[in-house]
Every structure is written in structure tokens, then in C-alpha cells.
Amino acid sequence: QVQLVESGGGLVQPGGSLRLSCVASGSDFSIYAMAWYRQAPGKERELVAHITSSGRANYADSVKGRFTISRDNSKNTLYLQMNSLRPEDTAVYYCTDGGYSERTYFARSWGQGTQVTVSS
């Protein structure tokens, strides 16, 4: 059974940076697409960024130019580099593995989430 464990969340001031990591175990990490979602209190869950098994990335408009998703298949690890953070980026961030159906990413397994809080 696949396990996804996120880390790297925390409290940061507006304009700051954080790097989230997600270590996968129990599956062949390299063959799956991966993604980061987030959910803020009272809001719907949002697909932040996803990346194909070969490393092609896509981003939500809300984070484009500020966030970078990447993966290291040799370490079974997914990353999310978050720069120029804003208070509206505050949320619980979740790592998922999955795939694509008609070019739309779908999640298969979920991590437990890591809290990111952007506040002065």
C-alpha cells in the first residue's frame, strides 16, 4: 500500500519561501504522475500543481510564476518550492499520486497534509 508523507510546512511571513517535500513508499514512484493540492478553511480543495512521470509540470493560475513542482525519482520524492508567499496561500497542502484521464489529473492516494500559514 502506497504511503505519502509530507513535510516542510510552517509559518512564514508574506513574501517568504517554503519548500514542501513528499516521500513516497510502497509503489513504483517513477511511473505515476504526482500533484499537490491545498485546502483552506471554508474553501474547496484546489489542485495547485501536477507533474507527469517524465517531469512536465502544470500549475494553477493562482500560483503560476511563484511555485515550482519537481520530483526526484531516485529519492521517491516530490517537491513544491513556494516563493513570494501570500496570506491567501495559507492552507493544508496535500501530496497525491495519480494519473490522467482525458488530460485531467486524478488523484489515487493522499498524504496526511502539512499546514502552511502565511502571516505577519
Side-chain angles (χ1 to χ4, degrees), residues 8 14 24 37 43 45 55 60 71 76-78 90 97 104 116:
Y37 286 80
K43 294 189 176 181
R45 188 168 54 202
R71 64 191 297 163
N76 283 8
T77 303
L78 177 73
T90 296
D97 69 359
T104 299
V116 172

Side-chain angles (χ1 to χ4, degrees), residues 82-98:
M82 305 185 294
N83 299 329
S84 302
L85 283 162
R86 305 167 180 169
E88 55 264 38
D89 295 318
T90 296
V92 178
Y93 285 71
Y94 298 92
C95 167
T96 74
D97 69 359

Side-chain angles (χ1 to χ4, degrees), residues 47-106:
L47 176 57
V48 174
H50 54 96
I51 186 168
T52 67
S53 57
S54 60
R56 188 169 68 249
N58 286 277
Y59 300 91
D61 287 344
S62 58
V63 305
K64 203 170 292 184
R66 302 187 298 122
F67 290 11
T68 302
I69 188 172
S70 61
R71 64 191 297 163
D72 186 338
N73 289 342
S74 69
K75 296 182 179 179
N76 283 8
T77 303
L78 177 73
Y79 302 101
L80 185 68
Q81 178 67 44
M82 305 185 294
N83 299 329
S84 302
L85 283 162
R86 305 167 180 169
E88 55 264 38
D89 295 318
T90 296
V92 178
Y93 285 71
Y94 298 92
C95 167
T96 74
D97 69 359
Y100 295 94
S101 176
E102 298 182 348
R103 300 184 180 182
T104 299
Y105 179 83
F106 65 88

Side-chain angles (χ1 to χ4, degrees), residues 8-18 20 41 82 85-93 114-120:
L11 173 64
V12 63
Q13 292 187 343
S17 298
L18 281 177
L20 305 184
M82 305 185 294
L85 283 162
R86 305 167 180 169
E88 55 264 38
D89 295 318
T90 296
V92 178
Y93 285 71
T114 186
Q115 176 71 46
V116 172
T117 302
V118 185
S119 175
S120 55

